[in-house]
């Protein structure tokens, strides 16, 4: 399958092919063999080039922005995927319309709340930081708006899917 992957404004062509239980991934001509194993619903273990390097990668989807949030270690990267598996957004539906619900992607503890109810927020602004599996995960606003509801409280535990912030 062919994909156009945008990271930080730069688009890269990525080809993925499954071969003998592994994936052959070509990124702009550089070829890597990847052994991928699912850890849970959102996390993968990747072994690159027969053990040359390995990563635990978390992937969550932000339905409001259409972006994927990819976590490698403590780094979270917003990724736009335009390829065979991406939903088409040209069917008259504005993904930025209506309130944006920011929910806990996994069970964890809220370590920082970066907004207050009624406060204006900008797209990609960190609104809540959750610690889960000894990693901090920054949850960001998908678009400009105003915090309509704030359910996140620093130091509290949350379940996966719990509503933390509603941006209007």
């Amino acid at each position: 399958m062919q994909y156009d992957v945008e990271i930080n404004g730069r688009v890269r062509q990525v080809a993925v092919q499954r071969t003998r239980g592994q994936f052959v991934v070509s990124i702009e001509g550089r070829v890597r063999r990847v052994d991928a194993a699912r850890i849970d619903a959102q996390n993968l273990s990747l072994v690159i080039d027969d053990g040359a390097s390995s990563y635990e990668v978390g992937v969550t989807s932000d339905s409001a922005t259409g972006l994927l949030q990819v976590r490698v270690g403590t780094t979270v990267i917003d990724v736009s995927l335009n390829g065979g598996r991406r939903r088409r957004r040209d069917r008259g539906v504005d993904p930025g319309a209506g309130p944006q619900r920011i929910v806990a992607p996994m069970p964890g503890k809220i370590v920082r709340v970066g907004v207050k109810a009624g406060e204006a927020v900008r797209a990609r602004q960190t609104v809540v930081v959750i610690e889960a599996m000894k990693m901090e995960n920054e949850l960001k606003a998908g678009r400009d708006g105003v915090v309509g509801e704030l359910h996140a409280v620093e130091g509290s535990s949350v379940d996966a899917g719990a509503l933390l912030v509603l941006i209007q």
Side-chain angles (χ1 to χ4, degrees):
M1 296 185 94
Q2 294 284 121
Y3 298 94
D4 290 328
V5 179
E6 182 179 348
I7 301 171
N8 294 330
R10 183 171 176 207
V11 178
R12 294 183 171 104
Q13 276 67 50
V14 178
V16 180
Q17 183 178 29
R18 189 171 189 117
T19 306
R20 294 184 299 244
Q22 290 187 329
F23 296 92
V24 176
V25 180
S26 173
I27 303 171
E28 295 185 334
R30 290 188 341 196
V31 177
R32 300 284 187 254
R33 291 197 175 280
V34 179
D35 183 14
R38 185 167 294 283
I39 297 171
D40 57 33
Q42 296 173 331
N43 294 289
L44 300 165
S45 172
L46 304 179
V47 177
I48 314 293
D49 291 335
D50 296 322
S53 54
S54 64
Y55 303 93
E56 184 174 316
V57 177
V59 180
T60 56
S61 160
D62 185 341
S63 60
T65 63
L67 295 176
L68 296 175
Q69 289 187 324
V70 178
R71 179 190 41 77
V72 180
T74 58
T75 304
V76 177
I77 305 163
D78 289 329
V79 176
S80 174
L81 179 66
N82 181 5
R85 293 189 286 179
R86 185 174 180 186
R87 292 178 295 153
R88 291 183 53 96
R89 298 198 307 170
D90 59 355
R91 295 191 178 142
V93 177
D94 179 5
Q100 176 193 1
R101 297 171 46 90
I102 297 178
V103 299
M106 61 189 74
K109 178 181 176 182
I110 298 174
V111 294
R112 190 169 64 247
V113 178
V115 295
K116 295 180 178 138
E119 181 180 335
V121 295
R122 308 268 313 161
R124 296 192 269 309
Q125 176 182 339
T126 300
V127 294
V128 177
V129 178
I130 294 180
E131 181 181 295
M133 301 185 317
K134 298 182 182 179
M135 305 279 254
E136 287 191 0
N137 300 286
E138 293 184 354
L139 305 179
K140 300 180 181 210
R143 60 180 169 81
D144 294 350
V146 175
V147 177
E149 294 178 26
L150 180 62
H151 300 279
V153 177
E154 282 186 24
S156 66
S157 295
V158 292
D159 292 325
L163 176 63
L164 303 175
V165 180
L166 185 70
I167 298 176
Q168 311 229 349

